[in-house]
Amino acid sequence: MESTFLAYQVKKIDDKFVGKVERLKISDLPEGDVLIEVAYSSLNYKDGLSAIGNPGVTRKYPHIPGIDAAGVVTESTSSKFKPGDEVVITGYDLGMDTDGGFAQYCRIKADWIVPLPKGLSLKEVMILGTAGFTAALCVNHLIHNGLSPEKGPVLVTGASGGVGSVAISILAKLGYNVFASSGKKDQYDFLKKIGAREVISREDTQTDSNRPLLKEQWAGVVETVGGKTMEYVLRTTKYMGGVASCGLVGGAGFTTTVLPFILRGVALLGVDSVQCPMDLRLKIWDKLSSEWKPDTLDLLASMIDLDGLDTAIKEILAGKIKGRTLVEPKSSM
Ligand SMILES: NC(=O)c1ccc[n+]([C@@H]2O[C@H](COP(=O)([O-])OP(=O)(O)OC[C@H]3O[C@@H](n4cnc5c(N)ncnc54)[C@H](OP(=O)(O)O)[C@@H]3O)[C@@H](O)[C@H]2O)c1
């Protein structure tokens, strides 16, 4: 008899998108070189968008979301991987139009797979997941732009979220003076515990001033919010500072003048984790498993199973999630 497995699958029923834990057959999975038994996945904002039918993320339903997966290879037709190998996958098309990590198995292309970095367990690598990898890319881009601790404070926006909380932890470990901006007054203590020296409110990062440049404050910014927050950080970043832009929870559009760029030499640094080339991807995972590995990984994560996804997806879409949500592909079903 063919093996079966459990997965959180989203179906389009009339005009609604409904997620449910289902028992599926291995042959239901898409084509691919490598079959992986998933040990852990994790929840990212994009998974929330996929689960509610956002066509910019997923167009084909029924669909298993989960842009992250870590586990053990059980079958492989690729010479790169063999059964028993521990691996991690973030980004590419996983969980978008390819069935993703919210399942006990996934089958994918070998080219998307990274061997589990030495220094991280399967659980730790998923506490980091796409959010942690993206946070590390932001830090990498800022450092390449010349950021160092003596240049001044670094601001992390959307601080209590996945990318924000890992970025704070990495920057604190590297000796930066980290300011966190957050809409969650009840999470200020958490943000300080994971490494923020100061916490400012979300309102402080949104100004009604029409002035194209405001007082210089930040040597660098990890910017996860977009919209009005991006407008504020571009006007307050110091001379030759960098703004690493990775997110849009506060809006995709923003208005600016060229003045931050031509008078202060501010660099706007785009960050993409999805198609990140494999050589840079391996370098970033290497950093995350060694000198950039957050000391506070346990503090960052809470754990759910497949049955907990409905609630967690609503929370992440409402901006209410704190830190990272690890997903163990189990169910009481
Ligand atoms: N470019 C890439 O490759 C890449 C990779 C991963 C993620 N992303 C993007 O980065 C962003 C953050 O991802 P994430 O996984 O960290 O999401 P998340 O865990 O949901 O965190 C987002 C945080 O942003 C803040 N926030 C929520 N709604 C807001 C609003 N309307 N205005 C201002 N702040 C708001 C909240 O933090 P506070 O309450 O503390 O303010 C929230 O916890 C998302 O837009 C995601 O799509 C991009």
Side-chain angles (χ1 to χ4, degrees), residues 71-75 82-86:
V72 179
V73 172
T74 57
E75 288 173 22
K82 60 179 188 322
D85 287 349
E86 293 187 311

Side-chain angles (χ1 to χ4, degrees), residues 6 21 23 104 305-308 329-333:
L6 296 173
V21 179
R23 186 164 286 283
Q104 292 172 329
D305 61 16
L306 298 178
D307 301 325
K330 288 182 176 165
S331 165
S332 57
M333 186 182 139

Side-chain angles (χ1 to χ4, degrees), residues 313-333:
I313 283 167
K314 287 192 187 90
E315 283 177 355
I316 203 162
L317 288 170
K320 289 187 178 156
I321 289 272
K322 176 188 99 176
R324 298 281 296 134
T325 305
L326 201 59
V327 180
E328 206 175 3
K330 288 182 176 165
S331 165
S332 57
M333 186 182 139

Side-chain angles (χ1 to χ4, degrees), residues 44-46 130-131 134 158-164 181-184 202 206 224-225 229 246-250 271-274 316 319 321 323:
N44 291 276
Y45 188 73
K46 207 189 242 180
T130 286
T134 305
S160 72
V163 177
S181 87
S182 176
K184 300 189 188 82
R202 191 182 290 171
Q206 292 172 1
T224 75
V225 173
T229 304
C246 70
L248 44 58
V249 283
V271 174
D272 170 53
S273 64
V274 178
I316 203 162
I321 289 272

